[in-house]
Amino acid sequence: MEKKEMLYEGKAKKVYSTEDPNYLIVSYKDDATAFNGQKKGQITGKGIVNNTMSNIIFGMLEERGIPTHFVEQISETDTLVRAVKILPLEVIIRNVAAGSFSKRYGVPEGSELAKTVLEFSYKNDELGDPLINDDHILALELATVEELDTVRGYAFMINDALREFFLTKGLKLIDFKIEFGKCLVGDDDDEAGDIILADEISPDTCRLWDVKTGEKMDKDRFRRDLGNVEETYQEVMARMKK
Ligand code: UDP
């Protein structure tokens, strides 16, 4: 299938319609933003890395029974996906304290957590993606009880699968963000209304620390000006392919 019309341009991806309304093409960009768009830049090659890595991971998750929007890779930066209605929630899983969790609760980055944490943010740039709880989500009718149960179940399954997968690549999964969508219509695998994993899983959306050196191998290199940004994205992609 081919790109028809650009429907949406986000911070890191563009979304195009195709001749079939049930399928979209996402095109990954090299643009990088941080701190809700306040810091802007380019990471050369990031579009290729994030497209390649996301597709490898979504394929692995599908094999483990987690439904995703992935259909097929079209080019180095472009992928055909199922069209879904994205739930306006960022689902964050934390295995180790870092980032906003460390700041908010005053725990040093790298502290092990007594329990894996699932957190929701309300996807809303104007409000700065505020932290939100289950009651808030139901009160605002952002999702139903059943949908929340499904999302929670998938999120922990995805965490188990990712942790194991990244460890085989010498990477420790500190935390990550995922997004889910609702299928518009049914197909061979899903019915209309089913919740499936959408968006991406990449160094932009995960914190990954090298198992041996503890080095940060993710977007924190860009956010915090740690240097070797491009090289690190390439290294992560190379490990994914091994
Ligand atoms: N994250 C993301 N998009 C966002 C916010 C967070 O992909 O808009 C990811 C981030 O890369 C990290 C995890 O979610 O892996 C937890 O991020 P955190 O809440 O600590 O926010 P940050 O420190 O990135 O502001």
Side-chain angles (χ1 to χ4, degrees), residues 117-152:
V117 172
L118 183 149
E119 228 171 72
F120 293 114
S121 294
Y122 177 26
K123 242 173 95 76
N124 185 316
D125 282 339
E126 265 170 53
L127 301 176
D129 298 339
L131 196 63
I132 191 170
N133 73 19
D134 289 45
D135 281 351
H136 298 144
I137 292 169
L138 298 175
L140 297 171
E141 297 185 301
L142 304 179
T144 65
V145 172
E146 294 73 30
E147 286 166 356
L148 274 190
D149 279 350
T150 304
V151 162
R152 204 180 273 286

Side-chain angles (χ1 to χ4, degrees), residues 90 92 94 98-101 104 119 129 175-177 204-207 220 223-224:
E90 298 197 335
I92 292 167
R94 302 181 184 276
S100 65
F101 183 94
R104 191 179 315 120
E119 228 171 72
D129 298 339
D175 59 28
F176 63 97
K177 184 266 305 181
D204 277 11
T205 63
C206 300
R207 283 197 172 93
D220 275 344
R223 292 190 189 99
R224 303 177 186 186

Side-chain angles (χ1 to χ4, degrees), residues 6 8 12 19 24-25 48 72 74-75 81 89 116 118-119 121 135 145 157 198 200 205 224 242:
M6 192 174 83
Y8 169 81
E19 67 250 35
L24 300 171
I25 290 173
I48 296 177
E72 76 175 315
I74 302 190
S75 76
V81 300
L89 297 173
T116 301
L118 183 149
E119 228 171 72
S121 294
D135 281 351
V145 172
M157 280 170 70
E200 66 178 286
T205 63
R224 303 177 186 186
K242 271 188 202 149

Side-chain angles (χ1 to χ4, degrees), residues 43-46 49-50 52-53 56 166 168-171 203 208-213 215-218 221 228-242:
I43 301 172
T44 303
K46 176 169 83 74
V49 172
N50 288 8
T52 308
M53 174 163 168
I56 291 171
F166 284 132
T168 69
K169 314 293 182 187
L171 296 168
L208 299 165
W209 294 358
D210 185 83
V211 168
K212 285 206 191 106
T213 64
E215 221 183 327
K216 294 182 177 29
M217 305 286 285
D218 55 59
R221 301 209 75 84
N228 290 331
V229 182
E230 273 89 3
E231 294 81 352
T232 301
Y233 274 74
Q234 291 303 324
E235 167 65 18
V236 171
M237 179 165 71
R239 290 195 197 186
M240 293 305 115
K241 289 176 170 175
K242 271 188 202 149

